[in-house]
mmCIF file of all heavy atoms in Angstrom:
data_model
loop_
_atom_site.group_PDB
_atom_site.id
_atom_site.type_symbol
_atom_site.label_atom_id
_atom_site.label_comp_id
_atom_site.label_asym_id
_atom_site.label_seq_id
_atom_site.Cartn_x
_atom_site.Cartn_y
_atom_site.Cartn_z
ATOM 1 N N VAL Z 984 -24.869 36.201 -127.490
ATOM 2 C CA VAL Z 984 -23.443 36.005 -127.734
ATOM 3 C C VAL Z 984 -22.641 36.818 -126.725
ATOM 4 O O VAL Z 984 -21.683 36.327 -126.113
ATOM 5 C CB VAL Z 984 -23.069 36.413 -129.176
ATOM 6 C CG1 VAL Z 984 -21.568 36.258 -129.405
ATOM 7 C CG2 VAL Z 984 -23.844 35.584 -130.185
ATOM 8 N N ASP Z 985 -23.038 38.050 -126.536
ATOM 9 C CA ASP Z 985 -22.317 38.937 -125.627
ATOM 10 C C ASP Z 985 -22.338 38.419 -124.189
ATOM 11 O O ASP Z 985 -21.342 38.512 -123.469
ATOM 12 C CB ASP Z 985 -22.941 40.335 -125.684
ATOM 13 C CG ASP Z 985 -22.133 41.355 -124.921
ATOM 14 O OD1 ASP Z 985 -20.921 41.469 -125.174
ATOM 15 O OD2 ASP Z 985 -22.710 42.048 -124.058
ATOM 16 N N LYS Z 986 -23.464 37.827 -123.772
ATOM 17 C CA LYS Z 986 -23.615 37.402 -122.380
ATOM 18 C C LYS Z 986 -23.055 36.010 -122.101
ATOM 19 O O LYS Z 986 -22.623 35.744 -120.968
ATOM 20 C CB LYS Z 986 -25.097 37.422 -121.989
ATOM 21 C CG LYS Z 986 -25.756 38.788 -122.106
ATOM 22 C CD LYS Z 986 -25.162 39.790 -121.137
ATOM 23 C CE LYS Z 986 -25.926 41.111 -121.179
ATOM 24 N NZ LYS Z 986 -25.347 42.113 -120.252
ATOM 25 N N TYR Z 987 -23.043 35.129 -123.095
ATOM 26 C CA TYR Z 987 -22.726 33.731 -122.810
ATOM 27 C C TYR Z 987 -21.487 33.184 -123.518
ATOM 28 O O TYR Z 987 -20.989 32.125 -123.124
ATOM 29 C CB TYR Z 987 -23.929 32.846 -123.164
ATOM 30 C CG TYR Z 987 -25.063 32.950 -122.182
ATOM 31 C CD1 TYR Z 987 -26.164 33.780 -122.436
ATOM 32 C CD2 TYR Z 987 -25.072 32.232 -120.991
ATOM 33 C CE1 TYR Z 987 -27.216 33.885 -121.542
ATOM 34 C CE2 TYR Z 987 -26.116 32.328 -120.088
ATOM 35 C CZ TYR Z 987 -27.186 33.151 -120.367
ATOM 36 O OH TYR Z 987 -28.232 33.257 -119.478
ATOM 37 N N ALA Z 988 -20.998 33.832 -124.553
ATOM 38 C CA ALA Z 988 -19.863 33.284 -125.289
ATOM 39 C C ALA Z 988 -18.558 33.489 -124.519
ATOM 40 O O ALA Z 988 -18.426 34.436 -123.741
ATOM 41 C CB ALA Z 988 -19.762 33.941 -126.669
ATOM 42 N N PRO Z 989 -17.571 32.615 -124.730
ATOM 43 C CA PRO Z 989 -16.264 32.783 -124.073
ATOM 44 C C PRO Z 989 -15.610 34.097 -124.490
ATOM 45 O O PRO Z 989 -15.744 34.528 -125.646
ATOM 46 C CB PRO Z 989 -15.460 31.588 -124.586
ATOM 47 C CG PRO Z 989 -16.466 30.613 -125.108
ATOM 48 C CD PRO Z 989 -17.617 31.432 -125.597
ATOM 49 N N LYS Z 990 -14.918 34.722 -123.569
ATOM 50 C CA LYS Z 990 -14.409 36.069 -123.828
ATOM 51 C C LYS Z 990 -13.412 36.119 -124.994
ATOM 52 O O LYS Z 990 -13.455 37.053 -125.814
ATOM 53 C CB LYS Z 990 -13.773 36.649 -122.572
ATOM 54 C CG LYS Z 990 -12.620 35.855 -121.981
ATOM 55 C CD LYS Z 990 -12.115 36.512 -120.697
ATOM 56 C CE LYS Z 990 -10.989 35.719 -120.063
ATOM 57 N NZ LYS Z 990 -10.517 36.352 -118.802
ATOM 58 N N TYR Z 991 -12.532 35.132 -125.082
ATOM 59 C CA TYR Z 991 -11.554 35.168 -126.169
ATOM 60 C C TYR Z 991 -12.199 34.863 -127.522
ATOM 61 O O TYR Z 991 -11.736 35.346 -128.558
ATOM 62 C CB TYR Z 991 -10.416 34.189 -125.895
ATOM 63 C CG TYR Z 991 -9.557 34.591 -124.724
ATOM 64 C CD1 TYR Z 991 -9.486 33.814 -123.581
ATOM 65 C CD2 TYR Z 991 -8.821 35.777 -124.744
ATOM 66 C CE1 TYR Z 991 -8.701 34.170 -122.492
ATOM 67 C CE2 TYR Z 991 -8.027 36.159 -123.662
ATOM 68 C CZ TYR Z 991 -7.988 35.354 -122.534
ATOM 69 O OH TYR Z 991 -7.209 35.739 -121.462
ATOM 70 N N ARG Z 992 -13.259 34.068 -127.508
ATOM 71 C CA ARG Z 992 -13.975 33.804 -128.750
ATOM 72 C C ARG Z 992 -14.626 35.066 -129.289
ATOM 73 O O ARG Z 992 -14.618 35.328 -130.497
ATOM 74 C CB ARG Z 992 -15.063 32.750 -128.513
ATOM 75 C CG ARG Z 992 -14.627 31.324 -128.555
ATOM 76 C CD ARG Z 992 -14.258 30.851 -129.949
ATOM 77 N NE ARG Z 992 -12.833 30.841 -130.175
ATOM 78 C CZ ARG Z 992 -12.265 30.563 -131.332
ATOM 79 N NH1 ARG Z 992 -13.003 30.289 -132.389
ATOM 80 N NH2 ARG Z 992 -10.971 30.589 -131.476
ATOM 81 N N LYS Z 993 -15.232 35.844 -128.414
ATOM 82 C CA LYS Z 993 -15.905 37.071 -128.875
ATOM 83 C C LYS Z 993 -14.927 37.985 -129.602
ATOM 84 O O LYS Z 993 -15.255 38.559 -130.652
ATOM 85 C CB LYS Z 993 -16.563 37.775 -127.689
ATOM 86 C CG LYS Z 993 -17.805 37.068 -127.175
ATOM 87 C CD LYS Z 993 -18.508 37.841 -126.086
ATOM 88 C CE LYS Z 993 -17.841 37.694 -124.750
ATOM 89 N NZ LYS Z 993 -18.640 38.267 -123.645
ATOM 90 N N LYS Z 994 -13.735 38.122 -129.054
ATOM 91 C CA LYS Z 994 -12.726 38.954 -129.719
ATOM 92 C C LYS Z 994 -12.313 38.345 -131.050
ATOM 93 O O LYS Z 994 -12.196 39.051 -132.071
ATOM 94 C CB LYS Z 994 -11.491 39.117 -128.829
ATOM 95 C CG LYS Z 994 -10.425 40.040 -129.425
ATOM 96 C CD LYS Z 994 -9.243 40.192 -128.500
ATOM 97 C CE LYS Z 994 -8.266 41.238 -129.040
ATOM 98 N NZ LYS Z 994 -7.809 40.949 -130.419
ATOM 99 N N LYS Z 995 -12.119 37.035 -131.063
ATOM 100 C CA LYS Z 995 -11.740 36.352 -132.293
ATOM 101 C C LYS Z 995 -12.799 36.551 -133.372
ATOM 102 O O LYS Z 995 -12.486 36.835 -134.533
ATOM 103 C CB LYS Z 995 -11.547 34.853 -132.011
ATOM 104 C CG LYS Z 995 -11.398 33.964 -133.225
ATOM 105 C CD LYS Z 995 -10.054 34.138 -133.910
ATOM 106 C CE LYS Z 995 -8.949 33.462 -133.127
ATOM 107 N NZ LYS Z 995 -7.661 33.474 -133.869
ATOM 108 N N TRP Z 996 -14.063 36.416 -133.002
ATOM 109 C CA TRP Z 996 -15.148 36.560 -133.972
ATOM 110 C C TRP Z 996 -15.238 37.988 -134.510
ATOM 111 O O TRP Z 996 -15.524 38.192 -135.691
ATOM 112 C CB TRP Z 996 -16.467 36.132 -133.341
ATOM 113 C CG TRP Z 996 -16.533 34.660 -133.042
ATOM 114 C CD1 TRP Z 996 -15.812 33.670 -133.659
ATOM 115 C CD2 TRP Z 996 -17.330 34.015 -132.056
ATOM 116 N NE1 TRP Z 996 -16.120 32.443 -133.115
ATOM 117 C CE2 TRP Z 996 -17.049 32.616 -132.126
ATOM 118 C CE3 TRP Z 996 -18.263 34.469 -131.118
ATOM 119 C CZ2 TRP Z 996 -17.668 31.691 -131.299
ATOM 120 C CZ3 TRP Z 996 -18.880 33.542 -130.285
ATOM 121 C CH2 TRP Z 996 -18.588 32.166 -130.379
ATOM 122 N N LYS Z 997 -15.006 38.962 -133.656
ATOM 123 C CA LYS Z 997 -15.030 40.350 -134.121
ATOM 124 C C LYS Z 997 -13.857 40.623 -135.056
ATOM 125 O O LYS Z 997 -14.002 41.292 -136.078
ATOM 126 C CB LYS Z 997 -15.004 41.299 -132.924
ATOM 127 C CG LYS Z 997 -16.301 41.303 -132.119
ATOM 128 C CD LYS Z 997 -16.186 42.170 -130.874
ATOM 129 C CE LYS Z 997 -17.489 42.133 -130.077
ATOM 130 N NZ LYS Z 997 -17.387 42.894 -128.802
ATOM 131 N N ASP Z 998 -12.689 40.090 -134.706
ATOM 132 C CA ASP Z 998 -11.493 40.332 -135.517
ATOM 133 C C ASP Z 998 -11.571 39.670 -136.889
ATOM 134 O O ASP Z 998 -10.957 40.144 -137.855
ATOM 135 C CB ASP Z 998 -10.246 39.828 -134.781
ATOM 136 C CG ASP Z 998 -9.908 40.658 -133.550
ATOM 137 O OD1 ASP Z 998 -10.453 41.779 -133.420
ATOM 138 O OD2 ASP Z 998 -9.107 40.180 -132.719
#
Side-chain angles (χ1 to χ4, degrees):
V984 178
D985 188 53
K986 300 295 185 181
Y987 286 98
K990 59 182 178 181
Y991 292 116
R992 277 290 100 185
K993 287 185 281 189
K994 183 179 186 304
K995 169 72 75 173
W996 292 336
K997 289 175 181 176
D998 291 345

